[in-house]
Amino acid sequence: MKKHSCAPGKHQLPPLPYSYDALEPIISARTLKIHHDHHHKAYVDGLNKAELALAEARKQKDFSLIKHWERELAFQGAGHILHSIYWTIMTPCHNEEEREPCPNTLKEIICSFGSFEGFILQFVNGASKVEASGWMLLVWNTAWGCLELLMGEKHQDLTQWGCIPVLVIDVWEHAYYLDYQYKRDNYVKKWLKLIDWNEVENRLLLAKKGRLPLTESNVC
């Protein structure tokens, strides 16, 4: 992915790693196009706007709107990062079988959750019950050296310092409503078949080394 300059306001919408119809029938081309081209782009635009506003505030030494722009920075930046991860940990599914996690990922899942089945049950139930809109995140906790599942009801809040996301599912309505309406449970269960466990393994191995896996928005 293209590296991001440290200059403010230079974030770009990353291209999808597959065609709009590649995730059908689980996620329709229409949903994917709207989600990526409009919703994700809005976060990128909002992040750039917040960065430029803060740069101008520093230049003018006018911090009267500091609370507003810091909140925008957190909200828009979190949306950009999480969506960038979301696209990369999905891959086309051509059969009805759910893929198996890679060895290191499976080992850490069993260590942290007791079993893969226990992890899936907690993941599905958590993702289905995130209030209003939000995310379900599998993260590597660098402080404790283990995996955790976090329910992000506001994606800029309810996190733990030092945690690195390795697997995320977007459960905001725009991610599934055109295809599943109010049946979020169905979306979450079918979405499991799209997980690219090779990418999750790669992200986890980097996270365990204390490195945030490469995205456009975290490279300077």
PDB file of all heavy atoms in Angstrom, residues 26 34 39 53 85-86 104-105 128 144 152 163 171 191 197:
ATOM      1  N   ILE A  26     -22.082 -13.134  -0.281  1.00  0.00           N
ATOM      2  CA  ILE A  26     -22.112 -12.746   1.131  1.00  0.00           C
ATOM      3  C   ILE A  26     -22.217 -11.234   1.283  1.00  0.00           C
ATOM      4  O   ILE A  26     -22.985 -10.726   2.107  1.00  0.00           O
ATOM      5  CB  ILE A  26     -20.873 -13.311   1.864  1.00  0.00           C
ATOM      6  CG1 ILE A  26     -20.933 -14.852   1.843  1.00  0.00           C
ATOM      7  CG2 ILE A  26     -20.810 -12.801   3.310  1.00  0.00           C
ATOM      8  CD1 ILE A  26     -19.696 -15.523   2.403  1.00  0.00           C
ATOM      9  N   ILE A  34     -20.722   1.141  -2.333  1.00  0.00           N
ATOM     10  CA  ILE A  34     -21.179   2.259  -1.499  1.00  0.00           C
ATOM     11  C   ILE A  34     -20.325   2.368  -0.244  1.00  0.00           C
ATOM     12  O   ILE A  34     -19.908   3.461   0.159  1.00  0.00           O
ATOM     13  CB  ILE A  34     -22.660   2.086  -1.132  1.00  0.00           C
ATOM     14  CG1 ILE A  34     -23.537   2.223  -2.384  1.00  0.00           C
ATOM     15  CG2 ILE A  34     -23.085   3.109  -0.076  1.00  0.00           C
ATOM     16  CD1 ILE A  34     -24.998   1.888  -2.145  1.00  0.00           C
ATOM     17  N   HIS A  39     -18.620   5.685   2.135  1.00  0.00           N
ATOM     18  CA  HIS A  39     -18.452   5.724   3.589  1.00  0.00           C
ATOM     19  C   HIS A  39     -16.972   5.810   3.982  1.00  0.00           C
ATOM     20  O   HIS A  39     -16.594   6.665   4.801  1.00  0.00           O
ATOM     21  CB  HIS A  39     -19.106   4.505   4.239  1.00  0.00           C
ATOM     22  CG  HIS A  39     -20.599   4.550   4.207  1.00  0.00           C
ATOM     23  ND1 HIS A  39     -21.333   5.321   5.079  1.00  0.00           N
ATOM     24  CD2 HIS A  39     -21.500   3.925   3.410  1.00  0.00           C
ATOM     25  CE1 HIS A  39     -22.616   5.175   4.822  1.00  0.00           C
ATOM     26  NE2 HIS A  39     -22.751   4.337   3.814  1.00  0.00           N
ATOM     27  N   ALA A  53      -6.960  21.453   9.726  1.00  0.00           N
ATOM     28  CA  ALA A  53      -7.487  22.434  10.683  1.00  0.00           C
ATOM     29  C   ALA A  53      -6.562  22.570  11.880  1.00  0.00           C
ATOM     30  O   ALA A  53      -6.325  23.682  12.377  1.00  0.00           O
ATOM     31  CB  ALA A  53      -8.884  22.021  11.132  1.00  0.00           C
ATOM     32  N   ILE A  85      -8.196  -2.012   7.405  1.00  0.00           N
ATOM     33  CA  ILE A  85      -7.963  -3.391   7.851  1.00  0.00           C
ATOM     34  C   ILE A  85      -9.081  -4.306   7.351  1.00  0.00           C
ATOM     35  O   ILE A  85      -8.826  -5.415   6.856  1.00  0.00           O
ATOM     36  CB  ILE A  85      -7.881  -3.450   9.385  1.00  0.00           C
ATOM     37  CG1 ILE A  85      -6.696  -2.624   9.901  1.00  0.00           C
ATOM     38  CG2 ILE A  85      -7.755  -4.907   9.868  1.00  0.00           C
ATOM     39  CD1 ILE A  85      -6.695  -2.455  11.408  1.00  0.00           C
ATOM     40  N   TYR A  86     -10.310  -3.849   7.475  1.00  0.00           N
ATOM     41  CA  TYR A  86     -11.494  -4.637   7.103  1.00  0.00           C
ATOM     42  C   TYR A  86     -11.396  -5.156   5.668  1.00  0.00           C
ATOM     43  O   TYR A  86     -11.645  -6.341   5.412  1.00  0.00           O
ATOM     44  CB  TYR A  86     -12.721  -3.759   7.287  1.00  0.00           C
ATOM     45  CG  TYR A  86     -14.059  -4.358   6.933  1.00  0.00           C
ATOM     46  CD1 TYR A  86     -14.596  -5.413   7.659  1.00  0.00           C
ATOM     47  CD2 TYR A  86     -14.820  -3.817   5.900  1.00  0.00           C
ATOM     48  CE1 TYR A  86     -15.851  -5.933   7.358  1.00  0.00           C
ATOM     49  CE2 TYR A  86     -16.079  -4.312   5.595  1.00  0.00           C
ATOM     50  CZ  TYR A  86     -16.587  -5.376   6.318  1.00  0.00           C
ATOM     51  OH  TYR A  86     -17.832  -5.874   6.007  1.00  0.00           O
ATOM     52  N   ASN A 104      -0.112 -20.341  14.012  1.00  0.00           N
ATOM     53  CA  ASN A 104       0.179 -19.430  15.113  1.00  0.00           C
ATOM     54  C   ASN A 104      -1.086 -18.760  15.630  1.00  0.00           C
ATOM     55  O   ASN A 104      -1.282 -18.612  16.841  1.00  0.00           O
ATOM     56  CB  ASN A 104       1.187 -18.363  14.673  1.00  0.00           C
ATOM     57  CG  ASN A 104       1.544 -17.425  15.805  1.00  0.00           C
ATOM     58  OD1 ASN A 104       2.155 -17.809  16.793  1.00  0.00           O
ATOM     59  ND2 ASN A 104       1.131 -16.165  15.674  1.00  0.00           N
ATOM     60  N   THR A 105      -1.961 -18.373  14.699  1.00  0.00           N
ATOM     61  CA  THR A 105      -3.221 -17.744  15.098  1.00  0.00           C
ATOM     62  C   THR A 105      -4.068 -18.707  15.907  1.00  0.00           C
ATOM     63  O   THR A 105      -4.636 -18.338  16.941  1.00  0.00           O
ATOM     64  CB  THR A 105      -3.999 -17.268  13.854  1.00  0.00           C
ATOM     65  OG1 THR A 105      -3.199 -16.347  13.106  1.00  0.00           O
ATOM     66  CG2 THR A 105      -5.303 -16.584  14.255  1.00  0.00           C
ATOM     67  N   SER A 128     -22.870  -9.414  17.167  1.00  0.00           N
ATOM     68  CA  SER A 128     -24.318  -9.297  17.000  1.00  0.00           C
ATOM     69  C   SER A 128     -24.946  -8.363  18.020  1.00  0.00           C
ATOM     70  O   SER A 128     -26.059  -7.867  17.810  1.00  0.00           O
ATOM     71  CB  SER A 128     -24.972 -10.683  17.110  1.00  0.00           C
ATOM     72  OG  SER A 128     -24.478 -11.556  16.121  1.00  0.00           O
ATOM     73  N   TRP A 144      -0.188  -7.476  27.776  1.00  0.00           N
ATOM     74  CA  TRP A 144      -0.401  -8.764  28.421  1.00  0.00           C
ATOM     75  C   TRP A 144       0.050  -9.950  27.584  1.00  0.00           C
ATOM     76  O   TRP A 144       0.068 -11.080  28.045  1.00  0.00           O
ATOM     77  CB  TRP A 144      -1.886  -8.927  28.783  1.00  0.00           C
ATOM     78  CG  TRP A 144      -2.364  -7.837  29.688  1.00  0.00           C
ATOM     79  CD1 TRP A 144      -1.617  -7.153  30.598  1.00  0.00           C
ATOM     80  CD2 TRP A 144      -3.678  -7.287  29.747  1.00  0.00           C
ATOM     81  NE1 TRP A 144      -2.393  -6.212  31.233  1.00  0.00           N
ATOM     82  CE2 TRP A 144      -3.669  -6.266  30.745  1.00  0.00           C
ATOM     83  CE3 TRP A 144      -4.865  -7.541  29.085  1.00  0.00           C
ATOM     84  CZ2 TRP A 144      -4.788  -5.512  31.071  1.00  0.00           C
ATOM     85  CZ3 TRP A 144      -5.988  -6.800  29.402  1.00  0.00           C
ATOM     86  CH2 TRP A 144      -5.947  -5.802  30.391  1.00  0.00           C
ATOM     87  N   GLY A 152     -16.337  -2.534  19.922  1.00  0.00           N
ATOM     88  CA  GLY A 152     -16.156  -1.097  19.730  1.00  0.00           C
ATOM     89  C   GLY A 152     -17.468  -0.430  19.372  1.00  0.00           C
ATOM     90  O   GLY A 152     -17.835  -0.359  18.201  1.00  0.00           O
ATOM     91  N   CYS A 163      -3.223  -1.981  22.251  1.00  0.00           N
ATOM     92  CA  CYS A 163      -3.788  -3.105  21.513  1.00  0.00           C
ATOM     93  C   CYS A 163      -3.681  -2.868  20.003  1.00  0.00           C
ATOM     94  O   CYS A 163      -3.920  -1.761  19.525  1.00  0.00           O
ATOM     95  CB  CYS A 163      -5.246  -3.318  21.899  1.00  0.00           C
ATOM     96  SG  CYS A 163      -5.453  -4.084  23.513  1.00  0.00           S
ATOM     97  N   VAL A 171     -19.834  -3.687  11.839  1.00  0.00           N
ATOM     98  CA  VAL A 171     -21.253  -3.998  12.036  1.00  0.00           C
ATOM     99  C   VAL A 171     -22.102  -2.727  12.078  1.00  0.00           C
ATOM    100  O   VAL A 171     -23.205  -2.733  12.596  1.00  0.00           O
ATOM    101  CB  VAL A 171     -21.491  -4.858  13.305  1.00  0.00           C
ATOM    102  CG1 VAL A 171     -20.979  -6.263  13.093  1.00  0.00           C
ATOM    103  CG2 VAL A 171     -20.843  -4.248  14.538  1.00  0.00           C
ATOM    104  N   TRP A 191     -20.302 -13.885   7.204  1.00  0.00           N
ATOM    105  CA  TRP A 191     -19.058 -13.139   7.009  1.00  0.00           C
ATOM    106  C   TRP A 191     -17.837 -13.959   7.411  1.00  0.00           C
ATOM    107  O   TRP A 191     -16.749 -13.778   6.841  1.00  0.00           O
ATOM    108  CB  TRP A 191     -19.118 -11.849   7.817  1.00  0.00           C
ATOM    109  CG  TRP A 191     -17.923 -10.962   7.648  1.00  0.00           C
ATOM    110  CD1 TRP A 191     -17.727 -10.006   6.686  1.00  0.00           C
ATOM    111  CD2 TRP A 191     -16.744 -10.949   8.470  1.00  0.00           C
ATOM    112  NE1 TRP A 191     -16.502  -9.401   6.862  1.00  0.00           N
ATOM    113  CE2 TRP A 191     -15.880  -9.960   7.949  1.00  0.00           C
ATOM    114  CE3 TRP A 191     -16.343 -11.666   9.589  1.00  0.00           C
ATOM    115  CZ2 TRP A 191     -14.639  -9.673   8.517  1.00  0.00           C
ATOM    116  CZ3 TRP A 191     -15.096 -11.393  10.161  1.00  0.00           C
ATOM    117  CH2 TRP A 191     -14.261 -10.406   9.616  1.00  0.00           C
ATOM    118  N   TRP A 197      -7.469 -15.882   6.643  1.00  0.00           N
ATOM    119  CA  TRP A 197      -6.678 -16.221   7.824  1.00  0.00           C
ATOM    120  C   TRP A 197      -5.181 -16.054   7.583  1.00  0.00           C
ATOM    121  O   TRP A 197      -4.408 -15.881   8.534  1.00  0.00           O
ATOM    122  CB  TRP A 197      -7.005 -17.629   8.297  1.00  0.00           C
ATOM    123  CG  TRP A 197      -8.349 -17.730   8.952  1.00  0.00           C
ATOM    124  CD1 TRP A 197      -9.485 -18.287   8.444  1.00  0.00           C
ATOM    125  CD2 TRP A 197      -8.708 -17.225  10.245  1.00  0.00           C
ATOM    126  NE1 TRP A 197     -10.523 -18.174   9.332  1.00  0.00           N
ATOM    127  CE2 TRP A 197     -10.078 -17.524  10.461  1.00  0.00           C
ATOM    128  CE3 TRP A 197      -8.010 -16.549  11.245  1.00  0.00           C
ATOM    129  CZ2 TRP A 197     -10.755 -17.178  11.622  1.00  0.00           C
ATOM    130  CZ3 TRP A 197      -8.686 -16.191  12.416  1.00  0.00           C
ATOM    131  CH2 TRP A 197     -10.035 -16.511  12.593  1.00  0.00           C
TER     132      TRP A 197
END
